[in-house]
Amino acid sequence: MEKTLTQEQLKLVTLESQGLTQNTPFGTGKTAVLNALEHLGYIQIDTLSIVERAHHHTLWTRIPDFQADDLEELVEDRKVFEYWFHAASYLPMQDFRYVLPQMLTIKRGESRYYNADPKVMEYVVDNIRNEGPKRARDFENESYKAGSWWNWKPAKLALERLFMQGDLMISGRSGMQKTYDLAERVLPSFIDTTEPTPLELAEYLVKTNLRAYGFTTLKQITHLRKGNDLKKNVNQVLQTMLEEGSISQVKIEGLSSAFVQNDVFENTFNVKNSGVWLLSPFDNAIIHRDRIKQVFDFDFRLECYTPKEKRQYGYFCLPILFGDQFIGRVDCKAHRKEKKLELIHLHIENSTIEPELWLNPFVETIKRFAIFNNCESLVLTKVNPSKLGAVAKKELSRLKFK
C-alpha cells in the first residue's frame, strides 16, 4: 500500500533535505562547501552578476561564513570540478564518472553543438600540452598557420568542444575567466574513470535526487534529460529499490504519487525555523519551477529574459523563504561602485503572515546579504503592498553597517 504525506510534511522534508531548516546544516568553512556539494549533487554556475553570482549565493545561503576562495581552493585541490549537469555546474570530483556518458556522446560526434574545426582542436591541445594551462583570451592574438591567418573565435569554440568531450578540464577561474588544462593533469589518479552502465547512471540520478530533495518523481529525475531509455532505466531502478524496501511510494495530497527515502517517516515534522532565506533564482531548492508550484504554491519565474514591459515583478527577483513558506520576492541590484544594495521592488504575496513575524528576520538576512555583496548601505525603493512600505523602510533605516 502507498503511504501518505501531507503538504506540510512534504515542505519540511524538502527544506530539511536542501539544508534550509538550520543555520549551519553542512558545517563551516571549506569543509562545509564540499559537504554541501556532495549532498546536493551540484551547484549551478551563472554569469549574471546583478548580485553575487548564483554559485556563490547558493552556497552562502547554507553556509553563513562562506568565502568564494573556499570554492576556488576546492577546485585547485581537485575535490570539485566543473561540467554540465542540467546547466553549467560545480560537481563533486567523486562523481566524475557519471558525466562520462555525456562526454563520450559528444566526443563520438553525436552532438550538434560545439562543431569545432578538428585542426584547431589539435592545435589547442598541443599548445596547452606544451605551454601549460590556457584561457580563451590567451589565444586572441595567436595565428594558426594552415596557410592563412585566423582569429581567436575558432580557438574558443575548440576549447569548449574539448571541454565538453572531456579532453580538457577547467583547472581554475579568475572571476568568470576559465583556465583549461589537459584532463589527465587535472583528474586525481584515484578517481574512477570507468564509464557507468545505463543502469548505474540511472541509479546515481535516483539516489542524488532522493538525498538532495527527500522525495522525487520520475519527471524530476529526468528533468531536461532526453531519451526514453533513460526513463526506462530510472523506472527500473525505482522499482528495484521499492522491492528492496529502501524507498517507499507515497501519495501526496493534491499531487501524483512520489518516491521517498524510508527515514522520512521517522521525522516528527514538528520543527519550524522562523528564519528568512533569500534564495538565488538558480538555487537547487527552486530550480524545478513546477515542483515549487506544486509543493509550496509559489509560482516563480525569472524575468530577466522577459521584455521589460511584460515583467510582473522585476529583472532579477530573489524568492523570500520564511520558515516553510515562500512569502514573496525582492528585485535586487548591487551597485558596486557606490557599495549600495538596492531593493528595487519588494513584493510580499502571503498576506496570512503578519509583518511582525517575518520583518525582523528579513531585515537581519538582507543586512547579511548586503555585506555578502560587499555593500555598505541599503535602499528600499518600492514595496508591494504599499501599506507595508513605511514600516519596512523604517526597520531597514535602522541598519548599521559599521
Side-chain angles (χ1 to χ4, degrees), residues 356-382:
E356 55 262 29
L357 295 177
W358 61 262
L359 189 53
N360 283 339
F362 172 75
V363 169
E364 291 173 9
T365 298
I366 209 69
K367 177 181 178 180
R368 287 186 54 245
F369 189 67
I371 294 169
F372 174 59
N373 280 272
N374 295 315
C375 293
E376 298 175 355
S377 65
L378 187 146
V379 61
L380 173 60
T381 304
K382 186 177 180 181

Side-chain angles (χ1 to χ4, degrees), residues 115-133:
N115 292 318
D117 183 332
K119 291 184 178 179
V120 178
M121 290 168 62
E122 182 180 357
Y123 168 77
V124 167
V125 169
D126 287 343
N127 191 294
I128 291 175
R129 177 176 288 112
N130 295 327
E131 299 183 15

Side-chain angles (χ1 to χ4, degrees), residues 94-134:
Q94 66 180 23
D95 293 344
F96 177 80
R97 69 186 293 248
Y98 297 105
V99 304
L100 283 171
Q102 184 171 343
M103 287 180 172
L104 294 173
T105 294
I106 295 171
K107 191 163 188 173
R108 292 165 187 148
E110 299 167 22
S111 172
R112 59 189 176 90
Y113 302 106
Y114 311 106
N115 292 318
D117 183 332
K119 291 184 178 179
V120 178
M121 290 168 62
E122 182 180 357
Y123 168 77
V124 167
V125 169
D126 287 343
N127 191 294
I128 291 175
R129 177 176 288 112
N130 295 327
E131 299 183 15
K134 296 278 186 179

Side-chain angles (χ1 to χ4, degrees), residues 216-274:
T216 193
T217 63
L218 178 63
K219 182 178 179 181
Q220 182 179 325
I221 295 167
T222 57
H223 179 64
L224 298 180
R225 295 177 182 273
K226 297 179 180 180
N228 290 327
D229 286 345
L230 177 60
K231 291 182 180 179
K232 177 183 174 183
N233 290 325
V234 165
N235 192 55
Q236 183 177 333
V237 169
L238 288 169
Q239 294 307 313
T240 298
M241 293 176 73
L242 280 172
E243 292 169 8
E244 293 172 347
S246 57
I247 63 172
S248 295
Q249 193 165 6
V250 297
K251 287 183 178 179
I252 299 166
E253 295 174 357
L255 303 177
S256 58
S257 62
F259 303 91
V260 301
Q261 301 180 102
N262 282 336
D263 59 4
V264 161
F265 299 100
E266 299 171 10
N267 196 318
T268 57
F269 301 110
N270 60 3
V271 178
K272 290 190 177 182
N273 192 303
S274 60

Side-chain angles (χ1 to χ4, degrees), residues 306-362:
T306 301
K308 186 175 182 179
E309 64 276 9
K310 294 184 179 181
R311 291 176 197 148
Q312 183 178 359
Y313 297 106
Y315 182 84
F316 201 74
C317 279
L318 312 181
I320 304 168
L321 175 66
F322 173 60
D324 65 350
Q325 298 185 62
F326 285 93
I327 61 171
R329 64 201 84 197
V330 57
D331 188 23
C332 290
K333 182 175 183 179
H335 299 273
R336 292 180 174 85
K337 288 185 178 179
E338 296 90 348
K339 292 192 173 184
K340 177 180 69 178
L341 179 68
E342 181 182 5
L343 309 187
I344 300 169
H345 200 162
L346 171 62
H347 304 263
I348 298 301
E349 300 153 49
N350 191 327
S351 59
T352 64
I353 303 177
E354 295 298 324
E356 55 262 29
L357 295 177
W358 61 262
L359 189 53
N360 283 339
F362 172 75

